[in-house]
Amino acid sequence: MDSLTIHSTRLEIVVADITTLDVDAIVNAANSSLLGGGGVYGAIHRAAGPELVSACRMLNGCKTGDAKITPGFRLKAQYVINAVGPVWRGGENGEPDLLASCYSRAMNLAADHGLKSLAFPAISTGIYAYPADEAATIAVDTVAGVLKNSQPTGIERVIYCCFAEASADEHRRALEALGDGA
């Protein structure tokens, strides 16, 4: 299973470069300063252009577990939602709640801005070392929970954009488990 529909929102998994997706917003796996980094963060900033750094500078950072929105500038996406996930420290320091929070905050920002589609990377699974299987489960369960438990969001499509097939496999497992319980 590579997709599942909850209410009117389709959840999908792709292996791609998130900066190339034709969606209303892409989510940036950001750090709390919002001002620099590698991996997905660096790729998004390179593709969006220097205006994204200027816009992020105006936001005065972002707390772990939160998200802030900026224009997409040179991206296909109209917006970038900068979500700050936790650094993995063994799982006993609130990491699961913080990771879930950045997914739900991103969904809420998308809904608040009337967006119909957004794409998430595997937040915190790179240099922040969050275990990929646990992160995928949190990502899928949190987004599904927002869609099931809130007023209609208007969001029609959510993509889990994975950089590698191994990450996509973890998201597929989480989506299949959700599908069994949906």
Side-chain angles (χ1 to χ4, degrees):
M1 173 192 310
D2 277 11
S3 68
L4 178 73
T5 300
I6 298 175
H7 298 296
S8 62
T9 303
R10 186 154 185 84
L11 306 181
E12 304 173 27
I13 300 164
V14 300
V15 176
D17 175 348
I18 198 168
T19 67
T20 66
L21 297 181
D22 189 10
V23 291
D24 294 337
I26 60 174
V27 177
N28 183 13
N31 59 41
S32 61
S33 75
L34 303 180
L35 296 178
V40 170
Y41 187 95
I44 290 171
H45 274 264
R46 282 190 298 279
E51 299 90 348
L52 183 56
V53 171
S54 296
C56 286
R57 191 170 283 121
M58 302 299 289
L59 296 175
N60 298 314
C62 185
K63 292 181 181 177
T64 301
D66 201 1
K68 293 186 177 181
I69 193 165
T70 62
F73 300 105
R74 299 178 190 174
L75 295 164
K76 285 184 182 179
Q78 184 179 2
Y79 294 98
V80 175
I81 299 173
N82 301 278
V84 181
V87 173
W88 180 255
R89 291 186 170 88
E92 301 299 321
N93 296 291
E95 297 97 333
D97 289 339
L98 290 167
L99 185 58
S101 179
C102 65
Y103 278 94
S104 63
R105 285 289 299 133
M107 290 289 290
N108 291 335
L109 282 170
D112 291 348
H113 284 78
L115 307 182
K116 302 228 179 283
S117 59
L118 73 156
F120 285 99
I123 298 170
S124 287
T125 62
I127 195 164
Y128 284 10
Y130 210 106
D133 58 338
E134 293 179 36
T137 298
I138 290 168
V140 169
D141 289 351
T142 301
V143 168
V146 168
L147 295 172
K148 287 179 183 177
N149 299 322
S150 65
Q151 296 295 324
T153 61
I155 299 170
E156 298 172 356
R157 184 174 179 220
V158 174
I159 299 171
Y160 298 100
C161 183
C162 303
F163 184 72
E165 195 61 44
S167 177
D169 288 342
E170 295 298 348
H171 283 79
R172 283 185 195 103
R173 281 190 270 285
L175 205 58
E176 286 170 4
L178 181 68
D180 293 338

